[in-house]
DNA sequence: TGCAGCTTCCTAAAGGCTTTAGGCAAACCG
DNA sequence: CGGTTTGCCTAAAGCCTTTAGGAAGCTGCA
């Protein structure tokens, strides 16, 4: 009996690839076992259950995304930072649809707090340093930016803007322009 | 053998209620059969399969949402319309989380085109009449508004803003203010 | 009223995914 | 090299989906 060399780490990475290939919804413990040519039950030594697998893939995706965002923000500010950050999200979602879906898998509060989620908020806040908003407007703006990026990419990957003019890239560019303009002229009470 | 009086219509409505109670993901043909105290196979005379059920719930939710949005927009314009429209989305999502999730269930292009989806775009465009944007900016703005509403509500129902100050309602109000301001000062090329 | 035919719901069965329990063999470690 | 740990296996139960085929209820027409 030759051992397959399974580890939680390898399983999660393979699960992420599987998600990108067949969709996050189709990621099952069974499919993963098939991919490693191993019996299903064997995976349960490395994963608590199916939800555990999905959660771990979600955490991987969140971390990858935060890493890329952090790198993109380095040395940039203002609109330049805003655009780079936006592109990281969109590009990641288009290149890794399964992982991106995973990144929105509901986490329980404890797990969420320990995830890269807070780093995302932190990075978004860093962008706003170039715009000089007072609290609590800064928080509102963080939520707005998160909503736009997340919402746009969501709708786009769901095929929302696929077959209509103007093309999605152009809307994306113009929306980033509009957000930049909004942040520079943020309406305070 | 007393008949249960199943119809596709009743099943879909019950499915929508079930979605709100236990989550859209947990809506299964089996659960629905239990709810009607009927054997699972019986439902297959009324539903093609599990995906058919989910699709129909999605269509129901999209239609309900469009109806409410249309009603909210009647007799309003400008920021008043924008705020009313935004609230319809958010209130619907908070009151009917399962249905709201269903509304984002991926539809094949043909089904999507025949759904209330286009009505949503139409309604969003109606709001913009009060802001007088030229094409193609109007389309960009439609996409922006869709993204913000969808994205915000998504993040909120996922618990994103749940346990942090300021509270979500306030951000929502201020974001609508910000969007109004942005649309009044839309940056044209 | 009676029965023909359609509809509704049923039983049966096969196949897939999840999860737990318990066992054997490989790999590591002293 | 023997003992322990660990990794993967078989077995089995439970739930969900979907199809096939059968019987009971309902409807309409003679």
């Amino acid at each position: 009996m030759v051992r397959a060399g399974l580890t939680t780490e390898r399983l999660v990475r393979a699960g992420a690839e599987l998600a990108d290939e067949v969709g996050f919804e189709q990621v099952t413990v069974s499919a993963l076992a098939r991919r490693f040519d191993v019996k299903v039950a064997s995976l349960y030594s490395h994963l608590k259950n199916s939800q555990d697998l999905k959660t771990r893939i979600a955490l991987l995706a969140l971390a990858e995304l935060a890493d890329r965002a952090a790198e993109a923000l380095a040395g940039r500010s203002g609109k330049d930072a805003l655009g780079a950050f936006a592109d990281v999200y969109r590009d990641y979602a288009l290149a890794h649809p399964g992982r991106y879906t995973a990144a929105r898998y509901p986490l329980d509060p404890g797990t969420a707090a320990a995830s890269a989620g807070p780093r995302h908020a932190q990075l978004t806040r860093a962008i706003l340093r170039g715009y000089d908003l007072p609290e609590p407007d800064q928080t509102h703006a963080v939520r707005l930016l998160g909503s736009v990026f997340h919402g746009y990419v969501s709708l786009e990957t769901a095929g929302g803007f696929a077959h209509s003019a103007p093309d999605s890239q152009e809307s994306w560019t113009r929306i980033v322009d509009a957000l930049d303009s909004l942040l520079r002229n943020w309406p305070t009470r």
Side-chain angles (χ1 to χ4, degrees), chain A:
Chain A
M1 190 196 312
V2 186
R3 296 202 177 180
L6 305 180
T7 64
T8 303
E9 180 80 15
R10 283 189 66 199
L11 288 172
V12 172
R13 261 206 294 274
E17 285 164 25
L18 189 58
D20 286 336
E21 290 165 25
V22 304
F24 184 62
E25 299 310 317
Q26 322 307 320
V27 173
T28 67
V29 179
S30 292
L32 204 51
R34 274 192 295 276
R35 171 161 294 215
F36 280 91
D37 200 26
V38 139
K39 297 297 169 186
V40 188
S42 306
L43 301 201
Y44 282 82
S45 318
H46 305 279
L47 302 169
K48 242 181 43 223
N49 51 38
S50 182
Q51 191 191 322
D52 181 40
L53 170 61
K54 288 183 180 159
T55 299
R56 285 174 190 275
I57 296 173
L59 294 175
L60 174 69
L62 284 170
E64 281 185 359
L65 202 43
D67 288 346
R68 294 186 185 204
E71 196 193 351
L73 285 187
R76 294 189 217 258
S77 70
K79 185 177 175 184
D80 194 27
L82 181 67
F85 188 80
D87 284 341
V88 163
Y89 270 78
R90 181 157 178 262
D91 293 346
Y92 188 81
L94 298 180
H96 299 291
R99 282 160 149 97
Y100 188 76
T101 301
R104 283 167 286 150
Y105 187 68
L107 305 175
D108 63 272
T111 310
S115 76
R119 262 176 81 206
H120 287 260
Q122 216 44 51
L123 289 166
T124 309
R125 217 167 269 276
I127 293 173
L128 295 179
R129 277 204 279 274
Y131 293 96
D132 195 36
L133 295 181
E135 276 301 357
D137 292 287
Q138 199 172 113
T139 301
H140 300 318
V142 166
R143 291 173 176 181
L144 171 62
L145 291 181
S147 299
V148 176
F149 297 155
H150 167 55
Y152 191 92
V153 167
S154 244
L155 294 176
E156 181 177 23
T157 56
F161 316 140
H163 303 299
S164 55
D167 91 20
S168 188
Q169 176 57 54
E170 197 189 327
S171 282
W172 186 245
T173 306
R174 301 290 282 107
I175 284 174
V176 170
D177 289 348
L179 291 173
D180 171 63
S181 161
L182 173 59
L183 292 172
R184 280 187 286 101
N185 305 290
W186 186 265
T188 42
R189 270 275 150 75

